[in-house]
Amino acid sequence: MSLTNRTKVVSNKRMSFLERLYLPAIFKGMVITMKHVFMKKVTIKYPEKTREFSEIYRGRHVLKRDDEGRERCTACGLCALACPAEAITMVAAERQPGEENLYREEKYAKVYEINMLRCIYCGLCESACPKEAIFLTKNIVDSEYGRAQFIYGKDKLVEPVEKDKRIDVSKRQTPEVLAFKKLPNERHNI
Amino acid sequence: MLKITIDGHSTEVEEGTTILQAARKIGGEIVPPAMCYYSKLKGSGGKCRTCLVKVSKGSEKDPRPMPKLVASCSTPVQDGMEVQNITSPEVLETRKAIVEFLLINHPLDCPVCDQAGECDLQDLSFEHGVDTSRFEEGKREFDQIDIGENIKLHMNRCILCYRCVYTVNQITDGRIHGVLYRGDASEISTFIQNAITNDFSGNVIDVCPVGALTDRSFRFKSRVWFTRPMDAHRDCPKCSGKVTLWMSANDIYRVTARKDEFNEVEEFICNECRFEKKNAEDWIIEGPRTITRTSIISVNHYQKLKQGSIINPVAKKIEKPSE
């Protein structure tokens, strides 16, 4: 049984004169090579050209802020629990008086780390998040020289405060989610 | 001895036993949930109404059914009584409504609450509740209070089960903690924000079915399911010294009393064991505490099964390969 019908039975019988010349075989090989030179390429020249990404591509994570610029994450630990690769760790802390403009809830993540080498980009953290804090984005994880640089802390994960530098994740929220958020008794989710 | 049948399971109990105690004697899924009843506290029960059951036959002498659902925690067994719990759709429907009532004033702050993962109300609403709320009005709001240096009171989360009040009354001397005001305004508090300093006051944290009374030394330190429960004991002059340590690697995050299958403490422990002994050297560790497989606390905690304790049918097959 064979996977293709291009198999050839080989034998070590004595070659004929034409076969010993090898010229027809070389010519045949060159024809194949030239055919491939003019065929449509499957690769692209990466830095100059990038491939089109899906709107819901699951790449590098972002920790969102709310409309007032406060961090949404409350360090509930559900993302770390849902993570099949155990890539997420966090340390919680209590919000002090005067920090109300920094953190949305009375508890926040003092340390939040994702090991990008362990992460399999499945998006379960995003599904588990009750506060709509973590999302996967279209950005891809940069290449680095050392393994330690792949452990992303809050400095790399939390999005900038400036409104125009925020990362748009609206495409990742289904209409059902957006409708749910508008319910008056689901105020905690705003 | 009185004979009682609950959902088709019969048992014989002594006179004076309540339906809930008889159901716990039978065990399994027919045990009604209880938010306020606590077998170790005298007088508890009858407040939350989650343990309501249907008595379809009053007794051998008077076989008429009881006209309304009764609270199983405070109804004594009569001879020949027949009770329906999970087999009665009426009971399940009522329980759903009770959960909705309990959640009316309960904030949805489980992501912040330290009790999440071992919360009775969470389990109850997961099993019997609905996942949306019809309540659009504002919830009761109170300020957080520190009762002493070890206990935090979140009155917002309280469901007024009175368990902590009975605990303070019955196992500590001198009552300084109770329920103030009435009706919707009632709140658990100490008299003019007195600190609770009694040696056994920390037990109110363990008896609290929700996150209203929490441990300040564990506040936001970790989530319950990231720490590993270990049975341990020490030679304590005040209490039995038998506790559960909640550890991660060699660090003790929290000390609680050991809880049984109904989430009630086995023995009350003193404040010194609970709040002050946070070094592994203080304790003699016996081994990991068995947590039911369905609990979130056992997620990602792997444990070698003991010989003869295999409950997984797949594991059985692995052990005895077919020849």
Side-chain angles (χ1 to χ4, degrees):
Chain A
M1 207 188 89
S2 69
L3 291 173
T4 64
N5 52 8
R6 292 182 302 196
T7 44
K8 263 183 190 166
V9 182
V10 287
S11 70
N12 50 2
K13 74 169 172 46
R14 202 177 158 75
M15 287 194 281
S16 66
F17 174 71
L18 263 179
E19 281 171 337
R20 258 180 292 150
L21 267 181
Y22 285 111
L23 279 172
I26 289 170
F27 181 72
K28 214 167 139 191
M30 286 310 287
V31 168
I32 294 172
T33 308
M34 293 315 284
K35 203 171 94 192
H36 276 271
V37 167
F38 294 107
M39 252 161 65
K40 193 172 178 269
K41 313 282 179 301
V42 291
T43 50
I44 54 162
K45 295 189 170 175
Y46 166 60
E48 292 86 34
K49 256 175 149 184
T50 47
R51 267 189 202 289
E52 196 184 326
F53 275 61
S54 158
E55 285 297 345
I56 50 165
Y57 180 83
R58 298 194 302 265
R60 171 181 173 163
H61 312 66
V62 63
L63 282 174
K64 292 291 288 175
R65 292 174 185 275
D66 68 357
D67 294 340
E68 294 166 43
R70 301 172 298 184
E71 285 176 22
R72 303 184 77 105
C73 177
T74 177
C76 70
L78 290 183
C79 48
L81 187 76
C83 183
E86 303 195 355
I88 305 176
T89 51
M90 68 190 67
V91 177
E94 190 169 2
R95 183 181 69 186
Q96 300 303 318
E99 292 181 336
E100 283 83 359
N101 55 340
L102 296 176
Y103 313 110
R104 209 161 67 114
E105 313 259 348
E106 60 176 309
K107 187 171 80 162
Y108 68 95
K110 190 169 70 182
V111 178
Y112 191 103
E113 285 179 347
I114 303 180
N115 187 337
M116 292 299 178
L117 294 172
R118 298 195 88 170
C119 178
I120 58 168
Y121 304 95
C122 63
L124 286 185
C125 48
E126 187 181 354
S127 310
C129 185
K131 296 288 175 188
E132 312 220 346
I134 190 164
F135 282 96
L136 273 65
T137 64
K138 269 160 67 175
N139 303 338
I140 52 173
V141 175
D142 301 329
S143 34
E144 307 275 1
Y145 287 105
R147 297 180 75 85
Q149 282 113 296
F150 281 104
I151 298 173
Y152 279 25
K154 272 180 81 179
D155 51 332
K156 285 186 175 169
L157 292 170
V158 180
E159 66 175 353
V161 191
E162 294 83 22
K163 280 256 157 94
D164 51 324
K165 287 186 191 160
R166 297 280 181 88
I167 295 165
D168 179 33
V169 291
S170 53
K171 290 278 176 356
R172 296 197 63 78
Q173 294 169 305
T174 57
E176 290 82 28
V177 170
L178 293 171
F180 175 80
K181 280 168 69 182
K182 292 206 176 84
L183 294 178
N185 51 1
E186 307 292 346
R187 277 187 294 265
H188 60 277
N189 249 328
I190 297 167
Chain B
M1 296 294 268
L2 309 172
K3 187 171 177 282
I4 178 170
T5 310
I6 304 170
D7 286 344
H9 300 270
S10 304
T11 187
E12 289 205 339
V13 291
E14 279 168 31
E15 209 168 322
T17 316
T18 61
I19 298 173
L20 185 68
Q21 283 163 343
R24 285 188 177 182
K25 199 180 158 195
I26 296 169
E29 54 180 2
I30 59 135
V31 183
M35 299 297 291
C36 66
Y37 172 77
Y38 211 76
S39 60
K40 274 99 193 163
L41 300 172
K42 230 182 279 168
S44 63
K47 295 181 179 63
C48 67
R49 318 307 285 178
T50 46
C51 67
L52 289 183
V53 291
K54 186 176 179 179
V55 178
S56 49
K57 182 185 170 191
S59 68
E60 212 55 69
K61 267 188 204 158
D62 181 6
R64 287 177 301 170
M66 289 193 184
K68 290 184 198 168
L69 302 183
V70 296
S72 61
C73 65
S74 49
T75 309
V77 173
Q78 287 171 326
D79 193 30
M81 194 181 239
E82 276 174 27
V83 176
Q84 290 183 336
N85 179 20
I86 51 169
T87 50
S88 159
E90 190 188 349
V91 170
L92 295 180
E93 185 65 26
T94 311
R95 201 161 284 158
K96 217 174 199 175
I98 300 283
V99 177
E100 207 172 349
F101 270 125
L102 286 176
L103 292 175
I104 275 181
N105 274 317
H106 195 82
L108 212 155
D109 64 350
C110 303
V112 173
C113 179
D114 277 334
Q115 186 91 357
E118 53 173 23
C119 175
D120 287 350
L121 189 58
Q122 231 178 6
D123 294 347
L124 185 74
S125 55
F126 185 77
E127 212 167 315
H128 298 285
V130 282
D131 50 6
T132 52
S133 167
R134 290 184 286 171
F135 192 70
E136 291 182 7
E137 292 76 11
K139 301 188 182 226
R140 301 191 306 164
E141 278 182 27
F142 300 90
D143 292 334
Q144 299 166 16
I145 309 170
D146 295 337
I147 307 180
E149 56 187 29
N150 295 321
I151 306 168
K152 188 105 184 164
L153 169 63
H154 278 259
M155 192 54 217
N156 286 352
R157 298 175 186 153
C158 180
I159 57 163
L160 290 168
C161 70
Y162 284 62
R163 276 184 189 176
C164 57
V165 178
Y166 288 114
T167 309
V168 175
N169 280 0
Q170 288 170 24
I171 66 167
T172 68
D173 50 354
R175 176 181 172 179
I176 44 169
H177 168 209
V179 176
L180 308 179
Y181 312 117
R182 286 177 159 206
D184 194 41
S186 43
E187 59 175 293
I188 301 277
S189 191
T190 50
F191 181 58
I192 324 185
Q193 301 210 356
N194 243 329
I196 299 185
T197 49
N198 190 284
D199 267 342
F200 280 80
S201 59
N203 288 303
V204 295
I205 297 167
D206 279 346
V207 301
C208 185
V210 292
L213 291 158
T214 48
D215 189 339
R216 281 187 75 196
S217 62
F218 179 62
R219 188 165 165 79
F220 301 161
K221 285 274 157 58
S222 177
R223 305 296 283 171
V224 169
W225 56 86
F226 292 141
T227 53
R228 192 183 175 133
M230 304 288 268
D231 276 343
H233 65 269
R234 68 180 270 268
D235 196 18
C236 179
K238 290 176 197 159
C239 65
S240 68
K242 288 180 186 165
V243 299
T244 303
L245 304 178
W246 297 78
M247 305 178 72
S248 181
N250 242 347
D251 302 329
I252 298 175
Y253 278 77
R254 186 170 66 128
V255 184
T256 65
R258 296 182 189 176
K259 292 189 180 177
D260 62 13
E261 56 186 311
F262 306 115
N263 222 357
E264 292 185 1
V265 302
E266 286 169 5
E267 279 164 287
F268 291 111
I269 60 166
C270 68
N271 281 7
E272 193 186 334
C273 289
R274 186 186 300 272
F275 299 118
E276 284 157 34
K277 301 291 177 195
K278 294 282 175 89
N279 288 322
E281 296 90 62
D282 295 333
W283 298 95
I284 300 155
I285 294 170
E286 292 159 22
R289 182 154 187 86
T290 315
I291 299 283
T292 53
R293 286 184 307 137
T294 48
S295 168
I296 196 165
I297 298 170
S298 58
V299 171
N300 293 345
H301 289 169
Y302 306 106
Q303 185 176 333
K304 204 175 174 185
L305 288 174
K306 277 183 211 133
Q307 206 72 34
S309 71
I310 293 164
I311 29 169
N312 186 346
V314 180
K316 236 177 218 166
K317 269 181 207 158
I318 293 164
E319 212 182 27
K320 289 179 205 153
S322 53
E323 278 141 52

